[in-house]
Amino acid sequence: MTARDLLTRSNLTGTAVVVLLLVLPSLATSYFVNFVMTQTFVLGLAAATIVFLAKYGGMTSLAQFLLFGVAGFMFGNAAQETGARGLNLGWSPWAAVVFALVITTAAAFVLGALASRSTGLYFLMLTMVYAVIGYYVFAQIVEISGPGGLTSIQRPDLLGPPVRLYYAGLGLSVLAYLGFRAVGRTAFGLALQGVRDDPVRMASLGFNVPLHRALAFTLAGFTAGAAGLLNVWWNGQIDPASIAIGPTLILLIIAVIGGISSFEGAWLGAFVYVLIFTYLRDLPLIDRIGITEARFNTVIGVIVLVIMMLSPEGLTGIARRLRDRLRPPARTGGPAPSTGQPLPVRTTEKELGVTRP
C-alpha cells in the first residue's frame, strides 16, 4: 500500500468521523452530547496544543492550562456587569471574546519568549512554574478573581442552547486539527521541526531558534485560549482551583493517553478520560473491589501505566498496530512486470577484457 493510499484512507476515516459527530445529537442522549462530548471537545482542543508543541517543536509544556484559564478569567472580567469579584466591565460578549484572546495571546508570547532558550526537562519545569504562579495570581488578586473565582458567567446569545456549544466545540476542534497539520507543512512548521531536531545547526543556518519557539508557543496559547472560552461558557464559572497543578497534570495525562505524537490522540485521550470520569462510578459492583470516586486518580494512573506498557505512543499507537496486523500482507517476489523492452544485460569486466592491477 502506497503513502497516497494511506493518506486517502486517513482522509476518508476523518471525514466519516466528522459526519458522525455532526449527526450525533439526533442519535444520542442530550446528556451524552452536551456533557460528555462537549467536555471532550474542550479538553481535546487544549490537549492538542500540548501535542502541537511536542510534535513539531520538541517542547512539552505544562502552561497550556494556565493560558486556558487566562482566557476564561479575562472573558468573565470583561463580560460581567455586576458581581462580588472581578472588574465587571460589562462589555458585549464578542468584545469580551476579542479582549480575552488578545490578553491570552500576549501572555503566551511573553511566557514563550522567556522559556524559548530552555529545552527538555528545563522547559517542562519552567512551564510548570508558570502554572503555579498563575494559580496564585488569580487566587490572591481579588480584583480579577480571588479564591472563589467568577460565577454566573453568561455565554453569547448565539450559543444559547447547549447543543450549539457542542457544535462550536466540534467546529473549533476541526479547525485546530486541520490548522495544526497545515502549519506543519509550511516553511515555519518545517523550520520549527528542524529546530526540534538540531537547534544548533538551524542557528548556524541563520534561523532564529528562540523566535521560532516563542511563536509556536504563542500559536498554541491562542488555541488554548479558544478552548478556555468554550470551557467558561460550558461551566458558567471559573475559579483558581480549576487551573491548579492538578488539572494541569490531567491535561498532560490526556495527551499521553491518546498519544502525544498524534493530533487525533488529543481528542481520543480526552474522550476516554471523560468517559471514565463520568461512568466509572456507575459500573456494577465497582465499589465492591475498592474503586470509589476518591480513588479516581489511582484508576487513571493504572490506565496510563497499562497503555504505556502496551504502546508508548498511546491509544493511537495501539490502534495503528492493530491496523497493521489486520492489513493483508503485501505481495513480494514473482516475475517483474513486462515493459515491452528487453532487460539490460550485465557485462562483466572479464568479458570486456579489462584487467585490474
Side-chain angles (χ1 to χ4, degrees), residues 87-315:
L87 299 177
N88 301 316
L89 298 178
W91 293 355
S92 70
W94 299 113
V97 167
V98 174
F99 173 75
L101 290 178
V102 168
I103 296 298
T104 304
T105 305
F109 178 76
V110 172
L111 297 179
L114 292 174
S116 61
R117 297 184 183 278
S118 59
T119 58
L121 181 62
Y122 301 101
F123 183 88
L124 178 70
M125 296 303 296
L126 183 56
T127 54
M128 185 177 71
V129 171
Y130 289 162
V132 174
I133 292 175
Y135 165 76
Y136 282 108
V137 165
F138 287 108
Q140 296 180 357
I141 302 179
V142 295
E143 287 79 8
I144 59 175
S145 170
L150 305 177
T151 58
S152 302
I153 301 175
Q154 300 296 322
R155 56 178 174 262
D157 294 337
L158 181 64
L159 301 175
V163 71
R164 293 187 183 180
L165 196 59
Y166 164 84
Y167 281 117
L170 173 59
L172 287 177
S173 296
V174 172
L175 287 176
Y177 174 77
L178 297 177
F180 281 147
R181 289 175 63 94
V183 167
R185 295 190 293 267
T186 62
F188 169 77
L190 295 175
L192 183 63
Q193 294 171 63
V195 168
R196 172 201 64 194
D197 296 335
D198 196 339
V200 175
R201 184 175 182 181
M202 292 297 291
S204 67
L205 293 174
F207 289 90
N208 192 328
V209 171
L211 180 61
H212 278 76
R213 288 174 174 161
L215 291 178
F217 197 89
T218 303
L219 177 59
F222 173 83
T223 308
L229 290 175
L230 285 176
N231 176 68
V232 79
W233 292 339
W234 181 71
N235 275 312
Q237 63 180 10
I238 186 170
D239 60 84
S242 64
I243 61 169
I245 194 64
T248 296
L249 294 175
I250 286 175
L251 190 65
L252 179 62
I253 288 173
I254 287 173
V256 171
I257 289 175
I260 204 167
S261 62
S262 171
F263 289 116
E264 296 88 348
W267 286 274
L268 180 59
F271 180 66
V272 171
Y273 176 85
V274 175
L275 278 183
I276 296 173
F277 180 80
T278 305
Y279 296 111
L280 178 65
R281 70 196 76 176
D282 297 330
L283 293 178
L285 304 178
I286 194 69
D287 56 334
R288 299 289 183 88
I289 60 176
I291 298 179
T292 62
E293 188 172 353
R295 297 175 178 174
F296 173 74
N297 289 336
T298 302
V299 175
I300 291 294
V302 172
I303 292 174
V304 172
L305 179 61
V306 172
I307 291 175
M308 291 296 98
M309 290 177 63
L310 294 175
S311 171
E313 297 178 355
L315 293 175

